[in-house]
């Protein structure tokens, strides 16, 4: 049965329909933030509510609503959870062999100060991982590394989530902006250049926020020079690369510039007072077989941190190298030809309000080129480097799956919720209602992107969802389409830290599945506050005040 989305199903009123569409999201965030309900239960309740509204209010056939939920749930399993499971499996391999203790010591030799370590790991190294992988990979990896240097687990998760903002619009080799250009028809170079005149403003302040999270106002007073160097270096690198080099390599260039600048600065500067963390025990649930291994060298590494720094960093270097190889022309072409399959998801026949087939009806399965598959290969290489037997590696993988059991439920429910809202038209109703604000829409344009990422957990998905809406609203109100389309992506990055999908990834990474509500309360204020400030900045870009920044 053909289903055509309706924008105003509730009494023909777009405003009332939008309020109704917001109910599942409000329910999810209230359950997490106010009632502290466990994430998998909150996600399941919100999903059930979204399905009921899709059927009862938007008139979507029951079968299609359930099929859409199934598609979203599968997307949660692959590629999202496929990435998380393999990333944490690699961590577990380093932990059971003792090399994680060596990694902890090696990071501290660069700088013994926790606040500087947070900038290096979460902001600089996280940007490089985001540039190549995305989809929660930087949060999973950097959260574990932050705990390794002694930062409290919940604080480490908070820092990792907040840091994963400025690089996101150019993440995964520019996929969010490439997707935005594809759906809007706007030139990729113009979108990249415009985003490169917006996200650097976010990058300037994020390192200062990170040291504030780690050590409060004292941390800002004592380490602001390092935070400023990292933020300015990243911002300049991102601006220059986006405007004069290439969208695809913007984050790689910005991340490298920030790392080099900060390491160089640390050779001539140290904070007056060094804040060191207490050596952390095993993260992510620990490992039961490490104690039974009976290997003296492993136990010594775990206890003393003695060992080669290169070997300790080897798994992460392997990850970066493998992702870089997959972006080489011939390899990328081969993976695109053999590692991607698209098919129509069964049971769906959905049209947009304009009559076009909904893009979500087609499922794109990237099995060989998926970030999770590359991480699996990196894990196999790590097994060889650390001489982990197959049996021991399989036990570690099983322990990882057991640790993530509730996270798996959470992520599948959240993505199912996103797909139901998207396919039924609930998300489009919300976005369209915001677009009916005239010239003031320039102020709300980043909020639409923020909403899209908060729902889907992906800047790429938010651009697919709202890119055309942004361009249409711009043309109807006389605003610049490139400005608003890019604002959808750059504003969206600030919604990533509160996406339930990413909250679940962060909680699982620190071995505290079920703590999503606690982490949510830590980041929601930063997400809303930064979005509000950024919205004013974009609005000023639509006026003569900052209009000179808009791509001509």
């Amino acid at each position: 049965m053909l289903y055509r989305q309706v924008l105003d199903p509730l009494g023909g009123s777009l405003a009332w329909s939008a309020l109704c569409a917001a109910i599942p999201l409000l329910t999810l965030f209230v359950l997490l933030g106010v009632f502290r309900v466990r994430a998998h239960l909150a996600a399941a309740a919100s999903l059930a509510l979204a399905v009921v509204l899709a059927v009862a209010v938007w008139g979507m056939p029951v079968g299609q609503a359930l099929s859409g939920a199934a598609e979203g749930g599968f997307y949660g399993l692959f590629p999202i959870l496929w990435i998380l499971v393999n990333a944490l499996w690699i961590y577990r391999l380093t932990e059971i062999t003792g090399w994680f203790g060596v990694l902890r010591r090696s990071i501290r030799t660069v700088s013994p100060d926790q606040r500087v370590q947070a900038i290096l790991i979460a902001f600089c190294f996280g940007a490089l991982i985001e540039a190549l992988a995305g989809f929660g990979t930087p949060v999973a990896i950097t959260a574990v590394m932050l705990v390794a240097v002694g930062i409290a687990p919940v604080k480490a998760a908070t820092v990792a989530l907040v840091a994963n903002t400025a690089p996101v619009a150019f993440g995964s080799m520019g996929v969010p902006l490439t997707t935005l250009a594809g759906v809007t028809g706007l030139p990729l170079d113009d979108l990249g250049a415009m985003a490169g005149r917006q996200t650097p403003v976010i990058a300037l302040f994020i390192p200062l926020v990170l040291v504030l999270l780690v050590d409060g106002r004292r941390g800002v007073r004592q380490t602001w020079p390092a935070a400023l160097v990292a933020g300015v270096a990243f911002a300049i690198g991102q601006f220059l690369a986006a405007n004069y080099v290439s969208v695809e390599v913007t984050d790689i260039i910005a991340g490298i510039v920030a790392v080099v600048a900060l390491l160089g600065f640390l050779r001539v500067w140290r904070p007056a007072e060094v804040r060191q963390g207490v050596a952390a025990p095993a993260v992510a649930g620990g490992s039961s077989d490490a104690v039974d291994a009976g290997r003296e060298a492993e136990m010594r590494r775990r206890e003393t941190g003695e060992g080669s720094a290169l070997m300790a960093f080897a798994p992460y270097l392997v990850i970066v190298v493998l992702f870089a190889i997959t972006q080489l022309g011939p390899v990328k072409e081969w993976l695109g030809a053999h590692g991607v399959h698209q098919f129509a998801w069964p049971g769906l026949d959905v049209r947009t309000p304009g009559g076009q087939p909904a893009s979500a009806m087609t499922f794109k399965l990237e099995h060989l080129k998926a970030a999770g598959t590359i991480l699996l290969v990196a894990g196999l290489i790590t097994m060889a480097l650390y001489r982990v037997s197959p049996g021991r590696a399989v036990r570690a993988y099983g322990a990882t799956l057991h640790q993530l059991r509730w996270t798996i439920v959470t992520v599948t429910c959240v993505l199912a919720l996103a797909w139901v809202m998207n396919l039924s038209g609930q998300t489009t109703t919300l976005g369209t209602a915001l677009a009916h604000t005239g010239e003031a829409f320039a102020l709300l344009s980043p909020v639409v992107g923020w909403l899209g990422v908060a729902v889907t957990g992906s800047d790429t998905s938010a651009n697919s969802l709202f890119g055309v809406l942004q361009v249409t609203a711009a043309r109807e109100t006389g605003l610049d389409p490139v400005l608003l389309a890019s604002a959808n992506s750059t504003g969206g990055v600030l919604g990533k830290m509160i996406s339930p999908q990413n909250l679940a990834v962060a909680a699982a990474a620190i071995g505290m599945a079920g703590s999503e509500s606690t982490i949510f309360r830590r980041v929601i204020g930063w997400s809303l506050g930064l979005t509000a400030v950024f919205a004013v900045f974009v609005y000023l870009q639509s006026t003569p005040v900052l209009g000179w920044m808009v791509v001509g």
Side-chain angles (χ1 to χ4, degrees):
M1 182 185 299
L2 172 66
Y3 168 67
R4 184 161 179 167
Q5 297 171 351
V6 181
L7 291 177
D8 52 358
L10 199 61
S13 169
L14 182 61
W16 284 109
S17 298
L19 288 173
C20 185
I23 291 175
L25 293 180
L26 291 174
T27 300
L28 179 59
F29 292 139
V30 168
L31 288 177
L32 284 174
V34 178
F35 295 102
R36 305 184 185 185
V37 175
R38 292 177 65 89
H40 63 280
L41 297 175
S46 300
L47 169 60
L49 190 54
V51 171
V52 170
L53 290 174
V55 174
V57 178
W58 270 261
M60 190 178 195
V62 175
Q64 295 208 48
L66 296 178
S67 179
E71 183 185 9
F74 186 79
Y75 186 84
L77 293 172
F78 195 97
I80 306 301
L81 287 164
W82 182 232
I83 293 171
L84 180 60
V85 169
N86 290 316
L88 292 189
W89 176 55
I90 292 173
Y91 155 71
R92 192 176 289 271
L93 292 177
T94 68
E95 198 278 319
I96 66 174
T97 55
W99 285 108
F100 197 64
V102 183
L103 176 68
R104 178 190 301 126
R105 178 188 60 79
S106 300
I107 293 174
R108 286 175 172 170
T109 61
V110 177
S111 172
D113 192 279
Q114 274 191 338
R115 300 156 301 186
V116 176
Q117 292 164 353
I119 299 171
L120 272 171
I121 295 170
F123 185 70
C124 300
F125 184 65
L128 290 173
I129 297 295
E130 177 66 36
L132 297 166
F135 290 102
T137 311
V139 173
I141 292 176
T142 60
V144 169
M145 295 177 72
L146 290 170
V147 175
V149 298
I151 296 178
V154 172
K155 186 179 290 184
T158 304
V159 169
L161 285 166
V162 173
N164 191 220
T165 48
V168 169
F170 295 94
S172 302
M173 302 300 289
V175 166
L177 290 173
T178 302
T179 302
L180 183 62
V183 299
T184 62
L186 297 173
L188 175 60
D189 290 343
D190 288 352
L191 291 171
M194 192 64 243
R197 303 177 192 194
Q198 295 173 331
T199 54
V201 176
I202 300 173
L204 285 172
F205 297 99
I206 291 299
L208 289 168
V209 174
L210 299 185
V211 297
L212 182 64
L213 289 170
V214 173
D215 195 31
R217 294 180 180 178
R218 179 183 63 178
V220 176
R221 286 197 308 270
Q222 295 179 352
T223 59
W224 68 264
L228 189 63
V229 166
V232 170
F234 188 92
I236 292 175
Q238 197 174 51
F239 168 76
L240 293 176
N243 282 270
Y244 302 109
V245 185
S246 168
V247 168
E248 288 83 356
V249 298
T250 293
D251 274 349
I252 294 177
I253 292 174
I256 291 174
V257 169
V259 169
V260 172
L262 185 54
L263 291 179
F265 184 67
L266 290 174
R267 295 178 68 89
V268 299
W269 176 89
R270 289 287 188 275
E273 178 185 341
V274 175
R275 172 169 177 172
Q276 291 182 302
V278 179
V283 197
S287 71
S288 57
D289 59 343
V291 177
D292 300 329
R295 302 180 182 182
E296 184 178 341
E298 290 183 1
M299 296 303 296
R300 186 166 58 252
R301 285 195 295 266
R302 289 171 64 86
E303 293 172 2
T304 67
E306 295 178 2
S308 165
L310 181 61
M311 282 292 288
F313 280 99
Y316 303 101
L317 295 175
V318 167
I319 290 170
V320 172
V321 170
L322 285 178
F323 275 109
I325 290 173
T326 62
Q327 299 302 322
L328 297 176
V331 178
K332 188 175 183 178
E333 291 177 8
W334 187 88
L335 289 174
H338 300 86
V340 181
H341 288 90
Q342 296 191 72
F343 58 92
W345 190 266
L348 290 176
D349 189 4
V350 180
R351 298 292 184 272
T352 66
Q356 296 82 21
S359 59
M361 291 192 302
T362 301
F363 194 91
K364 189 176 183 180
L365 183 65
E366 299 180 328
H367 44 87
L368 291 182
K369 64 180 295 187
T373 303
I374 297 169
L375 288 171
L376 176 63
V377 175
L380 296 174
I381 295 174
T382 301
M383 281 177 55
L385 288 173
Y386 290 168
R387 299 180 181 179
V388 180
S389 67
R392 198 174 181 208
V394 169
R395 288 196 297 275
Y397 205 97
T400 303
L401 288 173
H402 181 265
Q403 170 208 337
L404 294 175
R405 61 194 185 280
W406 294 120
T407 302
I408 291 171
V409 176
T410 300
V411 173
T412 51
C413 285
V414 167
L415 270 296
L417 164 68
W419 253 249
V420 170
M421 291 188 66
N422 294 346
L423 284 167
S424 66
Q426 294 175 57
T427 310
T428 305
T429 295
L430 275 171
T432 304
L434 291 174
H436 278 63
T437 54
E439 293 185 2
F441 183 63
L443 186 66
L444 297 177
S445 178
V447 178
V448 174
W450 177 90
L451 173 67
V453 177
V455 174
T456 66
S458 165
D459 200 43
T460 301
S461 298
N463 288 342
S464 298
L465 194 61
F466 290 137
V468 173
L469 183 146
Q470 295 273 11
V471 171
T472 302
R475 288 170 177 160
E476 289 179 355
T477 56
L479 296 169
D480 191 294
V482 172
L483 171 64
L484 297 196
S486 62
N488 190 82
S489 189
T490 53
V493 307
L494 297 169
K496 201 170 179 70
M497 67 180 82
I498 65 162
S499 166
Q501 166 195 316
N502 291 297
L503 291 170
V505 169
I510 60 172
M512 295 180 65
S515 64
E516 291 87 353
S517 60
T518 301
I519 300 171
F520 174 78
R521 292 195 300 276
R522 297 281 186 94
V523 298
I524 181 62
W526 290 108
S527 180
L528 293 174
L530 290 170
T531 301
V533 173
F534 187 71
V536 173
F537 172 69
V538 172
Y539 175 75
L540 292 175
Q541 286 186 320
S542 73
T543 70
V545 178
L546 293 179
W548 51 271
M549 296 182 68
V550 178
V551 175

